[in-house]
Amino acid sequence: MGHAPPVNKTDVEGENIQPMTATPEKEPHIIVKDLTMAYGDFVVMRDLTFTINRGDVFIIMGGSGCGKSTMMTILIGLKSPAKGQVFYGDEDFWGLDDDARDVIIRRAGVMYQSGALWSSMTLAENVSLPLETYTELTPAQIDEVVRLKMALVGLGGFEEFYPSEISGGMQKRAGIARAMALDPEILFFDEPSAGLDPVSARRLDDLIIELSESLRTTMVVVTHELASIFTIGTNSVFLDASKRTMTATGNPSELLAETKDPTLRLFLTRGEQS
Amino acid sequence: MARPAELQLDQPSPETLTVSLTGPWKLGKDIPSTDEVASKVDSLGRLQRIEVNGEQVTQWDSGLLIFLASLKKIAAEKKIALVNVGLPEGARRLLELAAAVPEKKDARKAEEKKTFLLHLGDETVDFFQSCGDLLEFVGETAVAFVKMLSGRAQFRRADLGLILESCSGQALPIVALISFLVGMILAFIGMIQLALFGAQIFVADLVGIAMVRLMAAIMTGIVMAGRTGGAFAAQLGTMQVNQEIDALKTLGISPMEYLVLPRMLGLALMMPLLALYANVMGVLGGAVVAIGNPDINMTQYYLQTVKAVGLWDLGIGLFSSVVFGVIVALSGCMRGMQCGRSASAVGDAATSAVVTAIVGIIVSTAIITIITSVLGI
Ligand SMILES: Nc1ncnc2c1ncn2[C@@H]1O[C@H](COP(=O)(O)OP(=O)(O)OP(=O)(O)O)[C@@H](O)[C@H]1O
Ligand SMILES: [Mg+2]
């Protein structure tokens, strides 16, 4: 997954990061086809069709309660769709048996909306559990990886703390460190920057951009933060709660420039233009 | 994979060490460690630069990053300049990001070694503290109870209903099973001994008095400690974890009245009824064993039981069951309210609620037994 030749990027110090333009070659990573999600008889969203390309920072956006977290649970195999398909590469994710699905999802890292850290383990143990389970690294190597990941989310030095001993925003970041533990091909983030201060949120955006550019990790990010959406997003889907379906997909900046849909326009401008 | 990750050290000039990396530097692919570099640096006295050349790296991930991070640490320790020659741009920037927030040195927790005496002291202080907490909790509950008697306590009647249901009807099957079996066991043991004297009929006295006066209350107490006391602790503990109890407090609603009181009331009201039921089941269990003996029939057993068991026995049994109900509810609620803020703390709370309740039940049984025997009732 690492591509050695440095990616050309004008800014060096992490200032002025521009929305990335089209990725070199577009290779579909996840394809969602005609998807309907429902809880029992209650249909949350229907007719969803979009493609997430490898190396994309894909934003799932929409108002609160429109079904973004539900969409994520379907993409990561926790809840089956009422109708439609999800393809990872060319494999029909929900058509596979449980074991095959596990194999696919093991290559993904997930950060949950509430952090979902294991409360009986220290942060270091939280991050190292996936490494201990799925790699043959020595304890010393695992320790180094843990320290690197914790430093990447700005939590260096907090390895020995328990989740109940750190703040909500720190729990979120620790959740991100755990999601990144195995250098996954895909990272799912459910509202990563909610509850973070602006500087940490910005650093998180930088991290997301770096991972997607240098390791070509595909990022699927649920977020409401407009600043983030335009900074990191290379592609997106907009779920409209009132219509119960998606109304747009594409690069967020382009969507803002081109859309005629008043709901989407309202969303992308914080309701300032009608 | 054609070639593994390799590390090559050169020394173009006395002050400079070149570290060249080749191949795929990915985690778990047996990537070289920095030990080799470290020992080389140690052996070369007057080194001033380490140049890292990563142009030949074909693929990389965190494996490369941890190697570079540890190289950086070595260089910093020896005050040697670390120069980057053609490292992957992304790797360089990720390392920068990792270094952007300096490690919180003071955050690391000091693992202090405790001596035995220190431990003993801490435990003693803890013990008195927890006795104080217990008294405080009992006091607060009493205050809430008095408030309820004057009709000013805030709690939802619907909650009380649910709690009454869960500590009565839903507990019946298990209480029935346990007390029936205990009655049978008592009868079995009694029969063997009494048969030596040909006094088998007195097994009715044995089972009747033991069940009514003591065993029914204790057995229901223990069953309810495991079943309901643990559940109370887990419920309140989870509410503590989710800050639900904080939310009640900030609304000005006392958790003691809103959560603890209905649970206490529910158990204290239902325990005597359960104990009564357990009495019947225990005596029945004894009867089943006894009438297996050809010399005893049901009528005899019944008459003997009625003759043996007095009203005092029943009164003491029911009184004990109320006490046990209060103990089980108190320990469940107290451990739940004291719960820490994590899932494992909820587990601990449930465990210690059950332990506290059972210890409390046994201790109070001893006290009640001593008092009644001194009074001669
Ligand atoms: N377990 C569930 N059972 C039934 N309905 C549910 C369940 N979870 C969510 N829902 C419903 O599904 C809808 C979408 O919920 P979801 O959590 O996906 O929203 P969301 O877009 O993530 O919102 P937010 O931005 O607030 O996190 C909501 O209307 C919610 O009522
Ligand atoms: Mg959500």
Side-chain angles (χ1 to χ4, degrees), chain B residues 112-126:
Chain B
E112 49 175 325
K113 268 264 179 208
K114 279 191 186 169
T115 62
F116 173 73
L117 278 181
L118 203 60
H119 220 79
L120 191 69
D122 278 355
E123 291 291 317
T124 314
V125 171
D126 278 357

Side-chain angles (χ1 to χ4, degrees), chain A residues 1 7 10 30 33 42 57 71 75 85-86 88 124 127 136 138 153 172-173 175 191 195 204 212 219-220 234 260 274:
Chain A
M1 63 181 120
V7 180
T10 41
I30 306 175
K33 217 171 183 174
F42 172 62
V57 178
M71 164 77 85
L75 292 181
Q85 289 146 312
V86 176
Y88 273 73
V127 180
E136 263 120 55
T138 62
V153 294
K172 264 217 154 138
R173 286 185 278 154
E191 311 215 2
L204 185 60
S212 91
M219 306 274 174
V220 181
T234 60
K260 300 242 161 33
S274 49

Side-chain angles (χ1 to χ4, degrees), chain A residues 69 113 190-191:
Chain A
S69 300
Q113 191 163 10
D190 197 348
E191 311 215 2

Side-chain angles (χ1 to χ4, degrees), chain A residues 235-254:
Chain A
N235 200 350
S236 69
V237 62
F238 180 73
L239 306 181
D240 190 326
S242 57
K243 297 203 178 79
R244 297 211 174 283
T245 184
M246 58 183 269
T247 49
T249 172
N251 182 301
S253 312
E254 287 165 16

Side-chain angles (χ1 to χ4, degrees), chain A residues 8-80:
Chain A
N8 285 326
K9 215 174 85 161
T10 41
D11 97 272
V12 178
E13 294 308 322
E15 304 290 319
N16 286 327
I17 291 175
Q18 298 297 318
M20 292 197 337
T21 41
T23 33
E25 75 266 28
K26 288 208 170 181
E27 177 197 345
H29 200 163
I30 306 175
I31 301 172
V32 173
K33 217 171 183 174
D34 194 23
L35 187 82
T36 296
M37 5 188 234
Y39 287 98
D41 289 339
F42 172 62
V43 173
V44 182
M45 281 275 148
R46 58 163 51 90
D47 305 332
L48 304 177
T49 300
F50 55 86
T51 302
I52 302 174
N53 292 311
R54 201 171 281 275
D56 262 357
V57 178
F58 190 91
I59 313 275
I60 299 178
M61 51 190 181
S64 181
C66 70
K68 303 181 295 295
S69 300
T70 310
M71 164 77 85
M72 235 183 72
T73 57
I74 292 178
L75 292 181
I76 61 182
L78 294 177
K79 174 176 160 51
S80 60

